[in-house]
Amino acid sequence: EETNAFRDVARSLASGLEAELTIVLDSLFPMPPVVEALRAFTERFPTVPPRVYVQSLGAAAELVLDGACMIGLVQLVFSDMALLKRFPLLTVDLVPVVSSGHPLTEIDGPIGTHVLRDHVQLVLTDRSTLTAGRDYGVLSGRTWRLADLGAKHAMLLAGLGWGNMPAHLVETDIAQGRLRVIRPVGFDARIDQVGMCGTHLA
């Protein structure tokens, strides 16, 4: 069986197929379409194993730029680089949420910046140089920086702060009352959507 598998891989390489498919996803990217694409890919190319990374913000684009990944499903803001080709895919809606027991839920209507300054905002961050010194959607003077979207989600549910989350990841929590949508005054149409695209080295 191992010999046959080795022969299949050898034939694939000889026909021009890559040894593996390396992809990086921005952590905001919804997984269902990726799962379906990988299912279709592996049916067509069973000898090419995928290697999938999940990173936040500029760290995803960096993996494509340094050649570690062939394809990146990254935010549009990181795709305007000469070395990358861009293919718009979808838009991810972001919603500002907080746990149902958080003091901010007592405010009915828009929440002023002066009020938000008194509450911790959970902010997604990364270690890449592409986002050095840049913030996206930060409205509070008190922030906790997190590199993992799952950790941010857990801390939101625990009531440790408020933050922006992809709507598809928190819709069940909102429907079941674990999280509540709030309305920060500075949260407008310019930051409540994230354009996502597929990119690869030109």
Side-chain angles (χ1 to χ4, degrees), residues 97-115:
V97 293
V98 70
S99 75
S100 57
H102 194 280
L104 286 176
T105 61
E106 298 173 7
I107 301 173
D108 188 21
I111 303 173
T113 306
H114 65 286
V115 175

Side-chain angles (χ1 to χ4, degrees), residues 74-179:
V74 303
Q75 296 185 35
L76 283 173
V77 68
F78 301 112
S79 68
D80 291 331
M81 301 171 188
L83 293 175
L84 298 175
K85 291 182 181 178
R86 183 165 84 171
F87 306 91
L89 295 174
L90 54 83
T91 299
V92 174
D93 292 321
L94 299 177
V95 291
V97 293
V98 70
S99 75
S100 57
H102 194 280
L104 286 176
T105 61
E106 298 173 7
I107 301 173
D108 188 21
I111 303 173
T113 306
H114 65 286
V115 175
L116 293 174
R117 286 195 189 111
D118 295 331
H119 298 277
V120 171
Q121 181 178 359
L122 303 174
V123 179
L124 197 62
T125 187
D126 71 66
R127 298 182 199 153
S128 80
T129 57
L130 296 179
T131 57
R134 286 196 280 176
D135 280 327
Y136 302 92
V138 177
L139 303 176
S140 175
R142 298 175 59 197
T143 59
W144 289 11
R145 307 282 172 156
L146 307 161
D148 180 74
L149 195 61
K152 180 178 179 179
H153 187 203
M155 291 183 184
L156 284 167
L157 288 170
L160 298 179
W162 72 275
N164 305 321
M165 286 291 287
H168 64 271
L169 288 182
V170 293
E171 59 186 358
T172 301
D173 295 311
I174 294 169
Q176 295 181 358
R178 291 187 293 269
L179 291 176

